[in-house]
Structure formats: structure tokens, C-alpha cells
Amino acid sequence: MSSKDWIEKDYYAALGVDKSASSDEIKKAYRKLARESHPDHNPGDTGAEERFKTVSEAYAVLGDEKKRREYDEMRSLFGSGAFRRNARGGGQPGGMPFDVSDLFGGGAGGGDNRFSGGGFTDLFSSIFSGGGGAGGPARPRGPARGRDVETEVALDFTDAVRGVTLPLTLRAPGVCDTCHGNGAKPGTQPVACPVCHGAGVTTRNQGSFSFSEPCRNCQGVGTIVEEKCPECHGTGGVTKTRTLHVRFPAGVSDGQRIRLAGRGEPGERGGPAGDLFVQVKVRPDELFGRTGDDLTLTVPITYAEAVLGTDLRVPTLDGTVTLRVPPGTPSGRVLRARGKGVVRKDGRAGDLLVTLDVVVPAKVSDEARAALQTFAAQTPPAAREHLDARVRRFS
Ligand SMILES: [Zn+2]
Ligand SMILES: [Zn+2]
């Protein structure tokens, strides 16, 4: 006789006595029923045989003070499912709803995600760690953790530099609204697993050792769903569209993967949720480039500006900055505008690196050409002696 029988069977009803019946009344009721249904008095009557078995089973428990007490305790503790099913007078309707999360001190996160604190899994790891060996596979098994979810988001260049909060709409599995994730039909509750009595673990004796292992009947959850939620078919999850507001920190870069713990798929029947991974794509800007926390910008200047020097007013991401180009600045020189790059949350900031690019006009006016010829006549030749030696070798 299993404890499942205890929860499912109403032995008081089987003997036709009240829950408060004295042991004498129980004995009397049993004797009467046993006599009536005894196979010897009812040869060939299978119905009577069944009744006789039921009565005997009931008396084996209720006729024993200790067993009767245990039976009463279990029925009042795990009553919710049992009393609903064979409801008859005397049982507390609905009984006491039983919720494993009470055992595991969850509820910290509130809402549906009762195991988000990880307490449940922790408990299992501590029970099963260091086991192994003869006990067979004692792998930690709580309610299955939800899967991780991957998604991709394209950010504007400026948003990536400054940081931005974006709504992210995901069509992904979520907690079922009909049953709030417990998998039970509305109006019903998951009931304590009759095999492990809600503990999620069973103990097996082998010689002088005893081994704990996750309950096979409830997969270590501690509860079973008797009547499945019609919406999610007992899994506690459905596919739904949800919108998350995701904060991308200032300086997030192209290719970066952002992890949002617990925002992935919900676990089955209250298990911990998976994580959400957001792959960041940064759209290029038409002006600026980026190297780490530095922004880059290329500014064309004329030969005259490079020779004579000038003040350059260049754009930054949120304004302008004036840079001094000293006389005699070579092409390719990089000027630095401090603190005009990516500004991190902690105040650290990159720079704006401005590369000067001396441009050569494709066409010049006659006047410009004449002036340039005058200029050339006044200018020493470019320093090419180190090349000339090599050139002469081939001539
Ligand atoms: Zn559901
Ligand atoms: Zn169980």
C-alpha cells in the first residue's frame, strides 16, 4: 500500500464512519462490512470481493492508532487534490493549498518567477553534490530551467556612444497567464506529489546506506498537475509577445553581447528562467568612426592651410570644437580633442581623434597656377636623396 493510496482513498468512507469515529466504532463497522462482503459468504461475487478488499485495506490503516494518525495528517496536509476528487462530507473543501516554494524560501522576486533566487537549484545541488558512486545517477534535477534566448538589435551610432534604452519586442515563450505558470487548470492547484510527499526527493535504502534521489514521479518538482491548464497543456508556458526595455550602456560596441539574466524563457512549472542574450549591431555613422572609446574623424585641409596653419572648427557628436592646426603640419597628422569621445558612466571619456588630410585640387585657376609656380621657385626640392641612390642603380 503506497502513500499515494492514502492521499487518494477515503478509508472513512470505505467503512462508512465519520472522521471522528472512535476506534470501537471503526472496529464495529469493519466487522459488519467484512462479514457482509466476505468471499466465503458470497461465492463468485466479484463485487463483494472488491468490497471486502477495500474494507480490509481501510481497516488496516484506521484500525491501527499510529497509522490512522499518519493517515489523518497526510490527508489534511495534502488534501487539496484528494478532497476535491472524492469529495464527500467531512473533508475540508479545497484543503490546504500546497506550494513547494514555501519549502524552498523562494518568493523573493515576487510574481511568477518564484524560483528566480536560485534557492531551489541550490538546494538540489547541495543535496546531490558529492554523491555519485553506487547510488547511480543522482544528478541535480529541479524543475527544468528555461532556455536562453538570443536576439539581435541594431543601434544607431550615436545611441551606442551615449547609451540608450530601447523597447525590445520578442515573440518568445512566456509564463502562461491562464495558470500563472503552475500548469494547473484554473480553479485547481498542483498537488503534492504522493510519492515524495512534496519533497521532490525520495530516499532509497541499500544495506546500511540510504540514497536520496530526485523523485521520479514528479521529476523532482514536488508537485504534480492533475488537471492540466488548457492554455499551456500543463507546461506553464505559452508563446507570447513581450516587450522588454533594455538599457544599452554608453559605449556599447558592435558585436557585443549583452546578457539579461532571467529574461529568457521561463522554466517549466516554476523552474528558473533562462537568460536573454542581445547581440548588438551598431550602424555606421556617415562622419564618425570609433576605436574603443575614441571617436575618429577625417578632416580635409588645403596645402596652404597645412603650410600656413589655421584654426579648424569641426563637429563632435554633440557640438563643435575648434582645433589649432600649427603652421607646417604634415598630411596625416592626428589632432586630439580630449574628452570628446565616448563618455562612460563612471566619467571616463575617450577622445575625438581628428586626422588631417591634405587634399590636392584636381584643377586650379591660371592665377593659382602662376602663384604656385612662383612658390615652387622659392621652395627647396623635396627630400628624396635617399631614393635617388636606389633609382640610379637601375639607370
Ligand atoms: Zn497554463
Ligand atoms: Zn515526487
Side-chain angles (χ1 to χ4, degrees):
M1 181 189 324
S2 73
S3 38
K4 188 170 157 68
D5 291 332
W6 282 23
I7 288 171
E8 290 184 342
K9 294 183 180 170
D10 190 342
Y11 292 146
Y12 290 102
L15 295 182
V17 294
D18 199 74
K19 261 194 81 174
S20 57
S22 70
S23 54
D24 267 340
E25 289 174 303
I26 288 174
K27 198 185 288 176
K28 220 179 276 173
Y30 164 65
R31 285 196 179 145
K32 181 170 173 278
L33 290 170
R35 220 173 18 246
E36 286 171 0
S37 59
H38 200 283
D40 288 356
H41 299 303
N42 304 275
D45 184 350
T46 48
E49 197 182 331
E50 254 332 288
R51 277 203 306 284
F52 181 73
K53 275 187 196 162
T54 307
V55 166
S56 307
E57 197 189 323
Y59 186 66
V61 175
L62 298 187
D64 180 314
E65 282 297 326
K66 186 164 167 277
K67 281 188 185 161
R68 184 184 174 188
R69 242 189 340 268
E70 285 171 11
Y71 174 71
D72 287 345
E73 256 170 33
M74 188 181 294
R75 297 262 304 174
S76 70
L77 183 59
F78 300 145
S80 56
F83 280 96
R84 188 180 58 252
R85 193 153 47 190
N86 41 25
R88 71 188 290 287
Q92 312 98 303
M96 183 162 71
F98 188 83
D99 186 339
V100 269
S101 66
D102 297 343
L103 286 180
F104 299 110
D112 297 318
N113 213 341
R114 282 169 290 149
F115 299 135
S116 57
F120 193 86
T121 344
D122 288 353
L123 179 88
F124 273 84
S125 359
S126 59
I127 288 179
F128 299 112
S129 63
R139 212 159 47 82
R141 277 181 72 180
R145 178 181 179 274
R147 274 194 302 250
D148 292 339
V149 177
E150 293 258 1
T151 188
E152 197 181 277
V153 166
L155 298 184
D156 281 338
F157 184 89
T158 312
D159 286 343
V161 170
R162 290 184 184 141
V164 67
T165 299
L166 289 180
L168 204 62
T169 301
L170 298 168
R171 192 169 155 69
V175 173
C176 173
D177 288 325
T178 305
C179 64
H180 305 291
N182 69 18
K185 189 174 149 189
T188 74
Q189 286 281 336
V191 296
C193 169
V195 174
C196 63
H197 315 310
V201 236
T202 51
T203 306
R204 190 157 53 84
N205 291 314
Q206 207 170 70
S208 50
F209 296 95
S210 69
F211 299 94
S212 286
E213 58 187 8
C215 173
R216 280 164 221 260
N217 189 50
C218 62
Q219 278 81 48
V221 179
T223 57
I224 55 167
V225 172
E226 292 185 318
E227 292 177 70
K228 291 181 174 169
C229 165
E231 187 68 31
C232 63
H233 309 292
T235 61
V238 289
T239 300
K240 51 161 81 168
T241 303
R242 37 176 196 148
T243 301
L244 290 176
H245 291 268
V246 179
R247 173 78 200 152
F248 297 91
V252 68
S253 45
D254 187 57
Q256 198 172 323
R257 216 158 158 252
I258 291 182
R259 175 172 171 263
L260 295 151
R263 298 308 203 97
E265 284 189 20
E268 218 173 82
R269 295 181 52 201
D275 299 334
L276 171 65
F277 290 94
V278 182
Q279 181 88 32
V280 176
K281 284 260 164 215
V282 179
R283 294 190 198 100
D285 187 80
E286 48 184 62
L287 293 184
F288 296 98
R290 215 180 115 190
T291 311
D293 283 351
D294 293 333
L295 296 183
T296 59
L297 180 67
T298 298
V299 178
I301 57 170
T302 65
Y303 177 68
E305 285 174 326
V307 173
L308 304 173
T310 185
D311 284 341
L312 283 181
R313 193 153 174 245
V314 299
T316 67
L317 266 194
D318 22 40
T320 60
V321 67
T322 300
L323 293 173
R324 175 104 265 262
V325 179
T329 295
S331 183
R333 167 70 56 87
V334 177
L335 305 177
R336 188 177 289 264
R338 295 216 176 269
K340 299 292 182 187
V342 175
V343 181
R344 294 279 181 181
K345 212 174 147 193
D346 62 7
R348 281 181 303 125
D351 303 328
L352 171 63
L353 305 178
V354 176
T355 302
L356 300 177
D357 181 28
V358 174
V359 291
V360 175
K363 276 182 184 172
V364 288
S365 63
D366 290 345
E367 290 82 356
R369 187 182 295 103
L372 210 49
Q373 281 161 349
T374 310
F375 170 84
Q378 305 290 320
T379 319
R384 289 198 289 262
E385 295 87 346
H386 60 299
L387 302 177
D388 289 344
R390 188 68 63 93
V391 168
R392 270 197 299 277
R393 227 193 266 172
F394 296 101
S395 45

